[in-house]
Amino acid sequence: MRRRLTAAVLSVLLASPLLIAAAMPAGAAPTATVATKRAVGKWTVTQIGPQTYRVAWRAPERLPLGADRPQIRKGDTSLGVALVERDGRTVYVDVQASRRPDPTAFDVVLSGDRLNISGDDVAARSGAAKTSGTKGSSVERATTTLPDDPATPGAFNVQTSDYELDPVKLPGMPEPIEMVGHVVEPVDGATTGPRPVVLFLHGRHSYCYNPKNGRDGWKWPCMPPFKEIPSHLGYDYIQQVLASQGYFTVSVRVNGINAQDFALDDGGADARAQIVERHLDYWADQATDHQLDMSEVVLVGHSRGGEGVDRASLEIPLSAPYTIAGQVLLAPTDFAGQTAAYVPTVTMLPYCDGDVYDLQGQLFTDTARDLTNDDTSLKSSVLVMGANHNFFNTEWTPGLAEAPAWDDWGDTGSGLCGEANPDRLTPIEQQAVGTAYVSGAVHLFTRDEEEFLPMYDGSAVNVTSTGDAEVFSHAIGGGRVERRPGVDSGLSLADGADTQLCLGAVTWSRPRHGLCGRVGDLDGNVPHWSGEGDFLAKRKNLEVEWSAPGQTGGLVFDDPLDLSGGQRLELRTIVDPLVGDVAFTVRLTDADGHQADVVPEGGSALAALPSSDWLGKRWGQTVIVDPSTAAGIDLSEITQVDLVAESNRGHVWVLDMAAAPDQLAGVPNRRLPVVSLGKVKVAEGNRQASTAKVPFTVSGTLTRPATVAVGQLTDGEDLATLTMDLAPGQTSGSLVVDYFGDKLDGPKRQLTLLAAFPRSGVMTDQYLGRLVILDDDPTPKVTMSPVHRRVKEGTSAMWQVTLANPVSYGIFVWLRPVAGGVHGPRLAVGDVPRDWLRAHGVPRRVSASTPLHRAKLGVYAYIKPGRTSTTLAIPTLRDGTKEGREAVTARIVADMAGHRLRATKTIYVVDR
C-alpha cells in the first residue's frame, strides 16, 4: 500500500528511513567473523492488506531488556518504528510495498548487534581490536583541578524513607503503574532553608528476578518466588551526597512501565513523563512539611528515563505548581529527536556505552542549537571516557546489585573498552564521576554556583573526587553567540587546505564527498551525525584537511562576531581518528582585514579521541581561544576565523564557533510551542485511492514560522520525507494521507504510523501519529472438508480449504492429526512415508506403531491473496497387509487476518 503524505504547506525533501539509531549495516562485520556466523530466528512476511505487509522476525529466546530499541533494517535504512509482541521475542513492522518484501535482505539490529545472525558483532569487533591494538595519543591533555568539589558531602545529617501511593492506569498498558519512591533528605528539623528538589528516574531494565537462581521473570506483576528489581535504589549514592548538602531527593520506580512498554510507539517516554509529573504533584502538596522549594526542581533521568524526564520538561506547563530548573540525562535515549528548549540540560555520554551504542543523547544538545534564537539555556554534553551504560545505577552493577547485573559493554579483554583495560573505569570510579557531575549540575541550576560551570563548558578541568577519570565537555547556549557553518557563515578562501561545508550525515551504501561521514567504520561512532536518508535535522560542518604546516581554511561570518569584553572563542571540533592528533593555531580577522594568530588554551595540539580498529567516536572537543592575547585587531568586529596548520597533516570538522561569556545568561521563562500528532479512523471503502486527514494540534502560541519534518515508509524501503510549515498563530491542522481500498475482505484494522521531528521554532510532544483503516468488506464463508471421505492405501488423504470469495491478505492454514471421536483402528506412523514425516517434524525415533495423532505432526499451507483454496495432504503407504479401515482425523485451522477458523474432519483409509 503506497501512501502519499501532504499538508496545507508541505514540500518534498527526499526519500529516507524512518529512524536511524545505532546499527550494524548488513555485511559490515569483520570478514573473519562473518564466515562463522549463521542465520538464527525465523522471518515471516504476511500480507495484511492491499499492498501492505507485516515483516516480522522471531528470536529463539526473549530479547534482552535494555534501553535501545530493535530495528528491522535493510543496510542503512530502517523499515520504520518496530514493535515487539507480548512474547518478548517477535519484532515486527508494517510496511507498504508494491511487491512482497524479501526478508533475506533484512537485519534485526539492537545496540549494534545483528540479532538474526549468530554471535555478537560488537564482541567480534572487540576481539579484532585486541589483535591490532589501540591507537594512543602523544598529546598530553593538561587539566586544572577546581578548588571546590560538588561531590563533597555537606554539613547536614540525612534520613531515608520510602513511600507508596495508589498505582496509576496509563494508556496502552493493561496493568497500572506503581507509584513508589525512595526519599533521602536532611533530617527533620535541620535548618536548611527551602530545599530544592531533585527527582531521579531510572531506565529500562529487567524488572523481576528469582532470588534462588537469579533468573529474570517475564510476568507482571512479579509473583512469588520472583521479586522486583529495585532499580530506583540505584542512585542512593548520589542522593546521600545531595541530601547532606541541603537538597530533597526522591528516586521513583517504574518497573510497571519496563514490563509493558514493548509495544508502545514511543518506547514508553510519555508514560515515564506522566509518572514523573504524578510524583511532583504529590510532593507539591507536601512542600511545607518537607521545606521544599518547588520552584527549583531538577530532573535526573538515566537511559530511557532520560528521555522520560525530558518529555516531562516539555509537557509541564509554566502554570504548574513547580518549575523545572534543569535536568541531567545519564546515557539517555532520544528516539524522538526531542529536546526541552529553555531548560538547562547536561547530558552525560559514556564512551563505552554498550546499550545506547550510538550515544544518541547527543541530540539533546545538538537539536537545541537551531530550534530558536532566544533560548539561552545551557545545553552541555559531557563525554566520560571508560564509562559504560549500566554502572551509573548500583542496582545494575555486578557486585553491588541485589539482583543479577551485568557489564553492558561485555568485553572482558584488554580492548579499548574492555574490562582488563586500565583506562576502563571501575564501577566505583564511574559512580564517583556520576556523583560529581550530577551534583555540580544541581548546584549550578538551583543555586547559581558558577564555580562549577567549567565542568560543563568545555574547559579542561577536573575535581578531586573523580580521580584520574578523563572527562570532556562542550556546550551551546548559556549566552553564547554562535556562528554556524552554512547558516550564518560560509567558507573563507583556503590557502592549501581542502575545505568544504559537508552535510552532517553518513551512509553505508553510496558514499559521496559532500557527506561528513564517508570514510572508516562509522557504525555507532558519529553521535553528531545521522543517516543520510533520515529526517532528523542535518547540520553542515566545516571540514578542513591539510597536508603541510601553514595551510589554512576556515569560516567567514555573515555578521561580525564580538569577542571583546572578556568573551572567549569556542570551536566544537572533531578530530578524525583515522588521521590522528593534529596541531593548529587560530587566525582571527577583523572587519578592516587585520589579522592575529592565537594559540588555543592548552597549546596548539589537539588529540584525537582514543580509537581501535573500529571504535573511535567522532565527537566535538572544545577548542578554547583567549582573544585578549591577539594584538592589533578589533575584537568587537571579527569577521573571519581560520585554522592555521602546525602539524604535517590533519583532518578535522568544526561543528560551530561561538563567543562565550564568562557567566551564564538568564533564561527566559517560556516554553516552545509543541506539536502533537493525533489519530484518525476511517472506513476503507471500495475506491482504489482515498484520502484521510490525520489531525495535529499546536499547544502554546506560535509567534513565528516553524517547521517540522514528517515521514512515512513507502514501497517497503523508502520514506516519504516532507516538511510541514506552520504559520504564526496556527493551533491545529491535518496531514492528508492517501490509502487504497478494495472490495475484498481485509484485516479489520490496518495501522499506518507517521513520525514528526522538529526542525525549528517548535518542539514535538506526541510525535507519532496514527491512521487506522477499518475494513468494511464481509468475511467470506470458509469451507473445510475432505476431498474424499474414503481413500485407498498408497494415495493421499486430502482436506481442502475453500473461500467463497477471495480476500486481500494471505491466509496461513495448518493441519494436525487429533484423536477424534471415531471408533476403530487409527492411522499410525508406519502407514506414512518416513521421509515425508521427517520433513514435517516427526523424528525418526518415533515408533511405527505410534498413532499418527501422537506424533506431533504438522502440515502447513498458504492461500495467496486473491486465491480461494488450498489442499493439505497426508500421503499413505501401500503395505500389502490387510488392516481393514483406518481413520485419520485432522484438526484444520485457518488464520484469517487475526481471527481463526477451526474444523475437525475424518478420512478413512482402506486396503482396496
Side-chain angles (χ1 to χ4, degrees), residues 378-379 453-454 456-459 473-477 479-483 557 561 563 567-573 586 588 601 621-627 641 654-662:
L378 179 74
K379 294 292 192 292
L453 178 59
Y456 310 98
D457 68 3
S459 300
S473 68
H474 66 229
I476 64 167
R480 286 167 176 76
V481 178
E482 284 98 5
R483 292 294 180 263
F557 305 145
L561 187 65
L563 293 177
Q567 300 191 91
R568 70 187 195 185
L569 176 66
E570 296 176 354
L571 290 72
R572 291 199 296 162
T573 305
V586 176
L588 308 178
E601 289 187 4
Q621 301 178 62
T622 306
V623 174
I624 298 173
V625 175
D626 180 2
V641 174
V654 179
L655 302 172
D656 40 49
M657 303 178 180
D662 57 3

Side-chain angles (χ1 to χ4, degrees), residues 22-26 37-43 57-66 68-73 82-84 88-92 106-122 204 354:
M24 168 82 72
K37 288 179 176 290
R38 59 181 178 81
V40 295
K42 181 180 179 181
W43 286 101
W57 176 80
R58 190 168 190 262
E61 57 188 18
R62 292 186 71 100
L63 300 180
L65 201 68
D68 200 15
R69 301 186 76 176
Q71 292 187 73
I72 297 177
R73 304 175 62 86
L83 301 178
V84 180
R89 297 169 61 182
T90 305
V91 184
Y92 70 92
F106 301 147
D107 287 306
V108 180
V109 182
L110 178 66
S111 298
D113 181 37
R114 291 171 297 166
L115 301 182
N116 58 304
I117 303 294
S118 65
D120 187 323
D121 290 314
V122 177
R204 192 170 191 259

Side-chain angles (χ1 to χ4, degrees), residues 133-336:
T134 299
K135 293 180 182 178
S137 172
S138 60
V139 177
E140 186 77 25
R141 180 173 180 251
T143 59
T144 301
T145 301
L146 295 180
D148 297 309
D149 188 337
T152 302
F156 302 106
N157 293 324
V158 304
Q159 62 187 23
T160 300
S161 61
D162 296 275
Y163 66 93
E164 184 171 359
L165 309 175
D166 291 338
V168 176
K169 187 71 172 64
L170 295 178
M173 286 175 281
E175 296 292 336
I177 310 305
E178 75 272 27
M179 288 285 292
V180 173
H182 174 69
V183 174
V184 184
E185 60 185 325
V187 294
D188 292 337
T191 306
T192 61
R195 301 171 182 176
V197 175
V198 185
L199 184 146
F200 291 78
L201 178 66
H202 66 83
R204 192 170 191 259
H205 190 75
S206 303
Y207 42 88
C208 299
Y209 79 105
N210 187 335
K212 296 180 180 179
N213 55 26
R215 293 178 181 173
D216 285 346
W218 300 106
K219 293 184 178 180
W220 181 259
C222 304
M223 301 297 290
F226 290 93
K227 295 177 58 179
E228 281 198 56
I229 295 176
S231 291
H232 65 306
L233 302 182
Y235 313 103
D236 182 83
Y237 68 101
I238 306 177
Q239 290 182 264
Q240 293 286 334
V241 172
L242 287 171
S244 75
Q245 296 169 344
Y247 294 93
F248 175 89
T249 73
V250 57
S251 182
V252 303
R253 196 179 75 205
V254 287
N255 279 340
I257 296 177
N258 288 346
Q260 303 178 88
D261 67 358
F262 50 86
L264 296 179
D265 299 340
D266 68 351
D270 188 63
R272 291 178 172 87
Q274 290 191 51
I275 293 299
V276 167
E277 293 169 42
R278 300 295 181 95
H279 280 277
L280 289 177
D281 289 339
Y282 169 75
W283 285 110
D285 292 338
Q286 313 298 317
T288 301
D289 293 341
H290 292 263
Q291 304 179 53
L292 306 186
D293 183 356
M294 299 302 295
S295 69
E296 298 285 358
V297 175
V298 176
L299 304 179
V300 182
H302 182 194
S303 190
R304 287 204 194 181
E307 189 167 7
V309 301
D310 185 80
R311 183 75 72 87
S313 294
L314 286 169
E315 293 178 353
I316 294 170
L318 295 176
S319 59
Y322 40 82
T323 300
I324 307 304
Q327 54 186 7
V328 185
L329 314 177
L330 306 175
T333 61
D334 192 4
F335 302 126

Side-chain angles (χ1 to χ4, degrees), residues 623-702:
V623 174
I624 298 173
V625 175
D626 180 2
S628 66
T629 61
I633 63 172
D634 183 355
L635 294 178
S636 67
E637 293 276 316
I638 299 301
T639 59
Q640 182 173 326
V641 174
D642 292 286
L643 309 186
V644 182
E646 286 198 348
S647 54
N648 291 329
R649 62 190 297 245
H651 188 198
V652 301
W653 296 267
V654 179
L655 302 172
D656 40 49
M657 303 178 180
D662 57 3
Q663 59 183 14
L664 291 177
V667 180
N669 187 31
R670 64 184 64 151
R671 293 288 183 266
L672 274 183
V674 294
V675 172
S676 292
L677 302 187
K679 62 181 179 181
V680 65
K681 297 179 180 179
V682 297
E684 176 195 27
N686 297 330
R687 298 174 59 187
Q688 189 172 13
S690 301
T691 60
K693 293 183 177 181
V694 178
F696 65 82
T697 58
V698 180
S699 300
T701 303
L702 277 170

Side-chain angles (χ1 to χ4, degrees), residues 392-416:
F392 286 118
N393 186 314
T394 58
E395 293 299 330
W396 299 359
T397 303
L400 299 178
E402 173 183 308
W406 59 92
D407 176 355
D408 52 277
W409 188 260
D411 177 11
T412 59
S414 57
L416 177 55

Side-chain angles (χ1 to χ4, degrees), residues 585-912:
T585 57
V586 176
R587 179 170 294 163
L588 308 178
T589 303
D590 67 16
D592 294 325
H594 300 131
Q595 296 182 333
D597 290 358
V598 183
V599 177
E601 289 187 4
S604 61
L606 183 64
L609 293 176
S611 65
S612 66
D613 277 355
W614 64 276
L615 175 60
K617 304 295 186 185
R618 280 72 166 171
W619 186 83
Q621 301 178 62
T622 306
V623 174
I624 298 173
V625 175
D626 180 2
S628 66
T629 61
I633 63 172
D634 183 355
L635 294 178
S636 67
E637 293 276 316
I638 299 301
T639 59
Q640 182 173 326
V641 174
D642 292 286
L643 309 186
V644 182
E646 286 198 348
S647 54
N648 291 329
R649 62 190 297 245
H651 188 198
V652 301
W653 296 267
V654 179
L655 302 172
D656 40 49
M657 303 178 180
D662 57 3
Q663 59 183 14
L664 291 177
V667 180
N669 187 31
R670 64 184 64 151
R671 293 288 183 266
L672 274 183
V674 294
V675 172
S676 292
L677 302 187
K679 62 181 179 181
V680 65
K681 297 179 180 179
V682 297
E684 176 195 27
N686 297 330
R687 298 174 59 187
Q688 189 172 13
S690 301
T691 60
K693 293 183 177 181
V694 178
F696 65 82
T697 58
V698 180
S699 300
T701 303
L702 277 170
T703 59
R704 66 194 71 177
T707 59
V708 179
V710 182
Q712 173 202 356
L713 199 72
T714 63
D715 204 25
E717 299 176 8
D718 299 322
L719 191 87
T721 308
L722 306 104
T723 297
M724 179 171 67
D725 293 314
L726 303 173
Q730 187 170 355
T731 59
S732 63
S734 60
L735 304 171
V736 179
V737 181
D738 289 348
Y739 66 94
F740 293 100
D742 58 25
K743 297 181 181 180
L744 304 178
D745 179 48
K748 298 309 175 187
R749 294 166 58 92
Q750 295 180 54
L751 171 66
T752 292
L753 282 177
L754 308 176
F757 286 75
R759 289 282 174 83
S760 65
V762 71
M763 182 44 61
T764 57
D765 185 8
Q766 303 297 331
Y767 68 100
L768 293 169
R770 286 171 166 254
L771 167 62
V772 180
I773 302 169
L774 303 175
D775 186 76
D776 54 8
D777 298 302
T779 299
K781 181 180 179 181
V782 179
T783 302
M784 302 178 182
S785 60
V787 175
H788 301 288
R789 293 190 179 275
R790 293 166 62 93
V791 299
K792 293 182 180 180
E793 277 189 348
T795 63
S796 293
M798 296 186 294
W799 294 260
Q800 188 170 53
V801 179
T802 304
L803 283 67
N805 298 299
V807 296
S808 66
Y809 50 89
I811 301 175
F812 284 101
V813 182
W814 62 96
L815 170 156
R816 66 182 181 90
V818 295
V822 298
H823 299 286
R826 309 298 176 89
L827 206 66
V829 167
D831 296 318
V832 179
R834 277 287 184 176
D835 289 345
W836 184 89
L837 285 170
R838 192 166 62 253
H840 288 76
V842 180
R844 184 176 293 276
R845 65 177 179 272
V846 177
S847 170
S849 62
T850 302
L852 205 58
H853 65 268
R854 294 179 179 172
K856 297 182 178 180
L857 168 66
V859 182
Y860 302 88
Y862 180 69
I863 303 177
K864 294 182 178 180
R867 303 289 179 88
T868 57
S869 67
T870 191
T871 300
L872 303 105
I874 298 177
T876 65
L877 291 171
R878 185 174 183 179
D879 55 17
T881 302
K882 291 185 178 181
E883 299 168 307
R885 189 180 73 167
E886 296 173 296
V888 55
T889 302
R891 176 159 297 157
I892 309 163
V893 180
D895 194 341
M896 299 278 290
H899 63 281
R900 290 180 174 177
L901 302 178
R902 297 175 174 84
T904 302
K905 301 291 182 180
T906 300
I907 293 177
Y908 295 95
V909 181
V910 297
D911 296 337
R912 62 179 69 180

Side-chain angles (χ1 to χ4, degrees), residues 2-5 11-20 76-81 93-96 531-536 538 709-723 752-757 759 768:
R2 192 166 196 162
R3 300 174 187 154
R4 176 179 53 83
L5 187 62
S11 57
V12 177
L13 295 182
L14 70 162
S16 66
L18 184 62
L19 287 173
I20 294 292
D76 60 349
T77 300
S78 169
L79 296 192
V81 178
V93 63
D94 295 342
V95 301
Q96 289 77 55
E532 180 186 14
D534 76 26
F535 52 86
L536 291 171
K538 302 290 185 298
V710 182
Q712 173 202 356
L713 199 72
T714 63
D715 204 25
E717 299 176 8
D718 299 322
L719 191 87
T721 308
L722 306 104
T723 297
T752 292
L753 282 177
L754 308 176
F757 286 75
R759 289 282 174 83
L768 293 169

